[in-house]
Amino acid sequence: MASDNQIVFFDTTLRDGEQSPGCTMHHAEKLRFAHQLANLGVDIIEAGFAIASHGDFNSVQAIAREVSTSAKAPRIASLARCKREDIEAAARAIEPAAKNRIHIFLSTSDLHLAAKLKISREQALDQIAQSVALARGYAEDVEFSPEDATRTDLEFLIKACTVAVQAGATTLNIPDTVGYTTPAEYTQLFRTLRSRVPNSGNIIFSTHCHDDLGMAVANSLAGVEGGARQIECAINGIGERAGNAALEEIAAAIATRHDRYPYTSNLVMTELYPTSKMLGEIISFNCSPNKAVVGANAFAHESGIHQHGVLANPLTYEIMTPASVGFTGQNIVLGKHSGRRALEHRLTELGHKLSREELDTVYNRFTELADRKKSIYDQDIIALLHAHDAEPLVTNAS
Ligand code: KIV
Ligand code: ZN
């Protein structure tokens, strides 16, 4: 039995993430990545949108068959519009999974109803009721998302959620489809829905935040503060436009600021970095170097003052250890801002213990090089020991 503070991580990298430009994945890649999501310990994998193409259907089905093989493995979800053919395709695709879910969505904002769906509010409510009920005939676990919820008239949103719950929805996801909400507003929205939707105590509320204003992670955590217990997110924050809330950032915030976010989850934190790297390799682009938690510079220290601090005690400039999120690379980066101590540290790691005089000489050569060259690699440092215009330094190299 999960505790009241247990967060369900719903990963949508393979659905919302894959929908974003440049992030298309092939069948084998999706399957490989889904296995890694299982290693990471996500609770639910949204494996795709089964009706979208034969390829999508086959991937969702293969992930259902090969990844959700036991009660402990992730639940597999497929997205579906409020259409019979979508729901039936989703049901067929997820059928082999040990645990599965149909995720139904319909826009509820007046803007989307008029401009996109061209239906009335009454028609929307009918479609929600019929589709959720149909889906419940195929799956015990049905999620409903009122798309563009954060720009939906509040009274109508409550009605739409109520209809979905009455028709059998077990999770209510409240998407901030266009990344428009703010943390305080989103917290309040969950509080209101939890108090106004009948029987809400028996369902799980979920966040789904886009990053158009750079607030997706903050909004997701604010949603949890308002009572949501499922977070929909994606690795490296990929997703439509500016992306989805980044799973690794939410996970790290909960782990690092447990005093403010006293929640638990099934995530294996040390799999965060390997999962991020695998995604970057599959979609052929990594996140930006300064990306929180998994960016190449997330734990890198180049300036002498910071390097000195970190070498004396990592807590001076690190709020979590690189190892805690599975980062195994170098975090002391040598460049023109680096100091003598960092150079000495790296030389020692490379097997060269220098006397004070030798270190002074090499440090002088190093600063000259660093003025000319952006990245200093280990081979550059070794070369400094044997600079061609000077006597090679005699070291006790191992
Ligand atoms: O952003 C969104 O509204 C969605 C829904 C389909 C859940 O991705
Ligand atoms: Zn989305």
Side-chain angles (χ1 to χ4, degrees):
M1 180 72 186
S3 84
D4 283 352
N5 278 348
Q6 177 84 6
I7 302 295
V8 173
F9 273 89
F10 176 116
D11 182 275
T12 187
T13 310
L14 291 171
R15 198 280 297 170
D16 208 319
E18 209 241 354
Q19 279 171 216
S20 55
C23 293
T24 312
M25 295 177 231
H26 302 306
H27 182 87
E29 294 168 336
K30 287 188 183 176
L31 200 52
R32 177 175 171 229
F33 191 68
H35 278 295
Q36 179 56 26
L37 288 174
N39 294 339
L40 174 61
V42 305
D43 302 284
I44 301 168
I45 297 174
E46 188 164 46
F49 193 179
I51 193 76
S53 67
H54 286 302
D56 255 42
F57 180 92
N58 290 337
S59 299
V60 177
Q61 194 176 48
I63 292 168
R65 187 184 300 119
E66 293 180 37
V67 178
S68 185
T69 48
S70 73
K72 284 198 158 170
R75 186 178 290 281
I76 308 302
S78 172
L79 189 65
R81 291 168 298 184
C82 281
K83 291 176 185 268
R84 173 174 289 276
E85 60 271 28
D86 279 42
I87 295 165
E88 289 176 349
R92 279 199 310 280
I94 60 169
E95 201 270 328
K99 292 185 298 183
N100 57 27
R101 168 179 295 186
I102 299 177
H103 176 193
I104 293 174
F105 74 103
L106 187 82
S107 291
T108 48
S109 67
D110 288 331
L111 178 62
H112 278 219
L113 290 180
K116 195 178 90 170
L117 300 177
K118 300 188 188 341
I119 58 173
S120 66
R121 285 185 176 188
E122 279 314 307
Q123 286 171 310
L125 294 179
D126 283 350
Q127 288 191 19
I128 294 167
Q130 284 171 24
S131 302
V132 172
L134 177 64
R136 272 307 298 262
Y138 291 110
E140 278 185 9
D141 189 318
V142 172
E143 170 172 329
F144 175 68
S145 292
E147 190 186 358
D148 205 18
T150 53
R151 294 192 301 169
T152 296
D153 169 71
L154 181 61
E155 292 306 316
F156 184 62
L157 182 63
I158 293 167
K159 208 171 266 174
C161 290
T162 303
V163 165
V165 172
Q166 283 166 348
T170 47
T171 295
L172 276 181
N173 179 42
I174 309 299
D176 183 29
T177 304
V178 290
Y180 179 72
T181 199
T182 67
E185 185 180 71
Y186 205 45
T187 301
Q188 188 51 48
L189 183 57
F190 281 97
R191 288 197 176 129
T192 306
L193 291 172
R194 286 175 64 229
S195 72
R196 303 264 318 266
V197 174
N199 224 5
S200 66
N202 293 329
I203 56 159
I204 293 195
F205 281 87
S206 168
T207 68
H208 179 111
C209 297
H210 282 269
D211 208 30
D212 300 68
L213 295 176
M215 294 195 283
V217 168
N219 285 337
S220 303
L221 291 165
V224 171
E225 209 176 322
R229 286 295 177 270
Q230 173 178 287
I231 300 179
E232 300 197 356
C233 45
I235 299 295
N236 292 353
I238 67 168
E240 292 276 7
R241 305 178 311 282
N244 282 90
L247 182 147
E248 60 280 358
E249 294 181 20
I250 297 168
I254 292 174
T256 308
R257 293 307 309 270
H258 208 67
D259 54 330
R260 304 296 298 194
Y261 304 121
Y263 311 114
T264 53
S265 80
N266 291 323
L267 292 180
V268 179
M269 295 294 288
T270 49
E271 291 295 336
L272 288 174
Y273 189 73
T275 311
S276 163
K277 287 304 275 181
M278 183 187 289
L279 180 65
E281 183 194 311
I282 289 174
I283 63 177
S284 306
F285 68 88
N286 279 312
C287 48
S288 65
N290 62 326
K291 162 86 174 58
V293 185
V294 291
N297 289 351
F299 296 99
H301 308 281
E302 196 201 292
S303 87
I305 294 171
H306 285 217
Q307 288 176 336
H308 185 181
V310 166
L311 290 172
N313 181 344
L315 291 177
T316 50
Y317 290 103
E318 286 178 358
I319 57 168
M320 54 194 146
T321 67
S324 68
V325 297
F327 179 87
T328 48
Q330 270 297 325
N331 61 342
I332 298 293
V333 178
L334 293 176
K336 75 172 195 177
H337 305 108
S338 304
R340 213 171 291 253
R341 272 172 207 274
L343 179 66
E344 184 181 23
H345 177 79
R346 190 76 199 115
L347 281 165
T348 307
E349 281 182 338
L350 293 170
H352 298 275
K353 189 123 189 67
L354 271 60
S355 69
R356 181 184 268 274
E357 295 72 35
E358 287 168 340
L359 182 63
D360 285 345
T361 309
V362 177
Y363 184 69
N364 286 339
R365 292 175 191 169
F366 167 78
T367 52
E368 277 165 27
L369 179 68
D371 262 338
R372 285 184 277 117
K373 199 166 181 289
K374 268 195 177 162
S375 309
I376 309 268
Y377 301 104
D378 287 349
Q379 59 267 35
D380 296 318
I381 297 168
I382 301 293
L384 293 175
L385 296 172
H386 309 282
H388 68 277
D389 58 343
E391 282 290 295
L393 291 164
V394 180
T395 76
N396 53 350
S398 56

